[in-house]
Every structure is written in C-alpha cells, then in structure tokens.
C-alpha cells in the first residue's frame, strides 16, 4: 500500500492488507479486504483520522471500486508483548 507508506504517518508502526474469497448464498464469490494498521497509541489514531476515529476513513479512490464497506471500525489494544508483535511484522 504505497499510499500509506509514502505519508509518513506519526505513530504508525506497521500496516497489513488482508483478503479472502467469500462464497455468497447464491454461489457467486466476493472478495473481502481488510486493512490492519498498528499505531503506538489511540492518540496517534485520532491524529491520523480526526476526532471521529470510530468512523471508517475510506478514500474516494477505494470507495469507487468497492461494492460496500463497514462504516465503523474497531480498535484493539495489544496487551501481550506488543513490542515483540510489532517487531515481527
């Protein structure tokens, strides 16, 4: 994801893009994408997306090619050796 890499976002430790195929009930296959972004603190998340940090931040270019996306996001705290986890990325 060169767009994210090139932005030098304060507090961003790492990011990952995941995908999977989902077979829908009518048999057609859709592709689901998920972006994981690892920030040092929740304040860094808010600095990146603003005060409405639980609202999805969907760039226009991405929205143009997606059929749908979650309007809200989930934030998690890494509580077991976070430095080891981030170093492994």
């Amino acid at each position: 994801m060169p767009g994210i890499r090139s932005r030098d976002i304060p507090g961003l430790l790492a990011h990952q893009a995941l995908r999977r195929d989902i077979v829908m009930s009518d048999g057609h296959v859709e592709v689901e994408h998920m972006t994981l972004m690892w920030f040092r603190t929740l304040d860094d998340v808010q600095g990146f997306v603003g005060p409405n940090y639980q609202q999805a931040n969907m760039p226009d270019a991405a929205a143009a090619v997606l059929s749908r996306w979650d309007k809200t996001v989930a934030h998690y705290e890494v509580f077991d050796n976070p430095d080891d986890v981030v170093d492994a990325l």
Side-chain angles (χ1 to χ4, degrees), residues 46-65:
Q46 291 172 325
F48 172 54
V49 296
N52 296 325
Y53 66 94
Q54 293 180 324
Q55 179 179 340
N57 180 15
M58 184 61 61
D60 291 339
V65 298

Side-chain angles (χ1 to χ4, degrees), residues 17-24 29-35 66-70:
L18 302 120
R19 68 173 298 279
R20 68 178 179 150
D21 292 338
I22 301 174
V23 179
M24 306 307 285
V29 177
E30 290 192 359
V31 178
E32 178 181 51
H33 296 269
M34 180 184 297
T35 301
L66 297 173
S67 60
R68 63 182 175 277
W69 61 88
D70 294 336

Side-chain angles (χ1 to χ4, degrees), residues 3-89:
I4 291 174
R5 285 187 204 107
S6 67
R7 293 177 60 183
D8 194 29
I9 300 166
L12 180 63
L13 302 172
H15 64 281
Q16 299 169 295
L18 302 120
R19 68 173 298 279
R20 68 178 179 150
D21 292 338
I22 301 174
V23 179
M24 306 307 285
S25 60
D26 64 0
H28 82 276
V29 177
E30 290 192 359
V31 178
E32 178 181 51
H33 296 269
M34 180 184 297
T35 301
L36 299 177
M37 298 178 76
W38 297 72
F39 284 89
R40 187 158 306 281
T41 68
L42 189 55
D43 287 339
D44 291 329
V45 173
Q46 291 172 325
F48 172 54
V49 296
N52 296 325
Y53 66 94
Q54 293 180 324
Q55 179 179 340
N57 180 15
M58 184 61 61
D60 291 339
V65 298
L66 297 173
S67 60
R68 63 182 175 277
W69 61 88
D70 294 336
K71 303 303 183 204
T72 59
V73 299
H75 300 282
Y76 296 86
E77 180 180 348
V78 177
F79 64 90
D80 186 20
N81 298 318
D83 291 333
D84 294 341
V85 172
V86 172
D87 289 342
L89 295 176

